[in-house]
Every structure is written in C-alpha cells, then in structure tokens.
Amino acid sequence: MPSDYQNIVSAIARRMRTVSGIGHVHEGRMFTESPDEFSALHFCQSQKRIHSWTVTRESFSDEQVETGHAHERLHRFRIRGFLSLLNDINTDLQFNRLIDGVSAALDDDGDLDLNCELQFPVQCERITVAFFGDALCHYCELTVDVREYFTSVSD
C-alpha cells in the first residue's frame, strides 16, 4: 500500500523549514476569503512583508514493476514561493538565494526522511514577479519528483 502522499508533503515542508529566513511554509494550497485571513496565512510579521511558500502534489503515475504486487509510484510536487518585492533591500537577490536554499535542502535529503526517494534534483520552472493579494511579489515554481515503492495488499 502506498504511503499517504501527505507524509511526503510534510517531509518536503520540514526540509524547507530548515532554510534560514524561509518565511511561512504551508502544506497544501491556502486560499482565503478575507484580507485578515490572507494576512494571517501569508504575511510574515517578523519580516513585515508577504513571505509564503506552498507545497502541493500536482500528479502521480503508478506502474507494476514486478510480477505480483510490487509497484512504483512517481509523484510530482509543486512548490510555489512568494516574497514581497522591495527595491531598497534588493529582495531579488534574497529571493534567489532562498530558491537555492530550498533546492539544496531538498537535494541533500535524497530519501525525504525515508518516505521515498528523489527521482531528479529539484527543478525551477519559473522565477518571475506576480501580484499576490494586492502586493507585487517575487514568485517561483519549483518541482520535486519523488519515487515511492510499495506492495499492494489486494489479490
């Protein structure tokens, strides 16, 4: 039986939280209906700005790899990062260092606390700017592909 994918999301988030200055790391998408709720989820009080990351599973594929019940499941997780853009303190440089820190933290833990194994190094698919709420933010999307092995219990 495969592990609950949430265990893998939690392992990714735990590794991300080891990065100095990471801000909020959320396990899953975090939608809000009010400005106060948005601020509580995504505004980092200690930094006095939006600084938030989300980790979600984007897809998975499953195949039988041996006669019988041995399976291999490939999961793709997407990490989205937001950081308020502030020209006076060069947040572009800071954000790119955080992206590198997240990538290194995940690449340094090839089995994500024994839940699975990284299939490839972390990939950065996009670094740009985007509005998040009404704030202009640095924005990135990283992907993490992990392989999980399990044995089905049916049949």
Side-chain angles (χ1 to χ4, degrees), residues 6 14 61 65 109 135 150:
Q6 185 61 43
R14 272 193 308 277
S61 60
V65 292
D109 185 9
F150 64 94

mmCIF file of all heavy atoms in Angstrom, residues 6 14 61 65 109 135 150:
data_model
loop_
_atom_site.group_PDB
_atom_site.id
_atom_site.type_symbol
_atom_site.label_atom_id
_atom_site.label_comp_id
_atom_site.label_asym_id
_atom_site.label_seq_id
_atom_site.Cartn_x
_atom_site.Cartn_y
_atom_site.Cartn_z
ATOM 1 N N GLN A 6 0.434 12.815 1.812
ATOM 2 C CA GLN A 6 0.612 13.923 2.756
ATOM 3 C C GLN A 6 1.889 13.752 3.578
ATOM 4 O O GLN A 6 2.511 14.728 3.973
ATOM 5 C CB GLN A 6 -0.611 14.047 3.673
ATOM 6 C CG GLN A 6 -0.543 15.257 4.596
ATOM 7 C CD GLN A 6 -0.491 16.581 3.837
ATOM 8 O OE1 GLN A 6 -1.209 16.774 2.863
ATOM 9 N NE2 GLN A 6 0.358 17.492 4.279
ATOM 10 N N ARG A 14 9.109 20.046 5.998
ATOM 11 C CA ARG A 14 10.085 20.018 7.103
ATOM 12 C C ARG A 14 11.481 20.393 6.618
ATOM 13 O O ARG A 14 12.191 21.157 7.265
ATOM 14 C CB ARG A 14 10.140 18.624 7.742
ATOM 15 C CG ARG A 14 9.163 18.394 8.836
ATOM 16 C CD ARG A 14 9.453 17.137 9.643
ATOM 17 N NE ARG A 14 9.631 15.933 8.864
ATOM 18 C CZ ARG A 14 8.646 15.163 8.412
ATOM 19 N NH1 ARG A 14 7.392 15.496 8.667
ATOM 20 N NH2 ARG A 14 8.897 14.075 7.716
ATOM 21 N N SER A 61 1.972 8.941 -11.132
ATOM 22 C CA SER A 61 1.765 7.813 -12.034
ATOM 23 C C SER A 61 2.193 6.563 -11.285
ATOM 24 O O SER A 61 3.067 6.596 -10.421
ATOM 25 C CB SER A 61 2.562 7.981 -13.328
ATOM 26 O OG SER A 61 3.945 8.059 -13.048
ATOM 27 N N VAL A 65 5.983 -3.064 -11.190
ATOM 28 C CA VAL A 65 7.368 -3.249 -11.623
ATOM 29 C C VAL A 65 7.847 -4.685 -11.497
ATOM 30 O O VAL A 65 8.917 -5.018 -11.976
ATOM 31 C CB VAL A 65 8.335 -2.310 -10.864
ATOM 32 C CG1 VAL A 65 8.089 -0.871 -11.261
ATOM 33 C CG2 VAL A 65 8.235 -2.490 -9.365
ATOM 34 N N ASP A 109 18.676 15.664 0.962
ATOM 35 C CA ASP A 109 17.941 14.623 1.678
ATOM 36 C C ASP A 109 17.269 13.731 0.643
ATOM 37 O O ASP A 109 16.078 13.828 0.407
ATOM 38 C CB ASP A 109 16.911 15.251 2.623
ATOM 39 C CG ASP A 109 16.205 14.218 3.479
ATOM 40 O OD1 ASP A 109 16.614 13.044 3.475
ATOM 41 O OD2 ASP A 109 15.230 14.592 4.142
ATOM 42 N N ALA A 135 -0.163 42.886 -3.425
ATOM 43 C CA ALA A 135 1.269 43.187 -3.325
ATOM 44 C C ALA A 135 2.029 42.584 -4.502
ATOM 45 O O ALA A 135 1.785 41.435 -4.876
ATOM 46 C CB ALA A 135 1.829 42.633 -2.021
ATOM 47 N N PHE A 150 5.997 0.336 -3.250
ATOM 48 C CA PHE A 150 5.079 -0.297 -2.294
ATOM 49 C C PHE A 150 4.572 -1.593 -2.879
ATOM 50 O O PHE A 150 4.708 -1.869 -4.071
ATOM 51 C CB PHE A 150 3.923 0.646 -1.935
ATOM 52 C CG PHE A 150 3.017 0.985 -3.086
ATOM 53 C CD1 PHE A 150 1.861 0.257 -3.316
ATOM 54 C CD2 PHE A 150 3.308 2.057 -3.918
ATOM 55 C CE1 PHE A 150 1.017 0.588 -4.374
ATOM 56 C CE2 PHE A 150 2.464 2.384 -4.967
ATOM 57 C CZ PHE A 150 1.326 1.658 -5.195
#
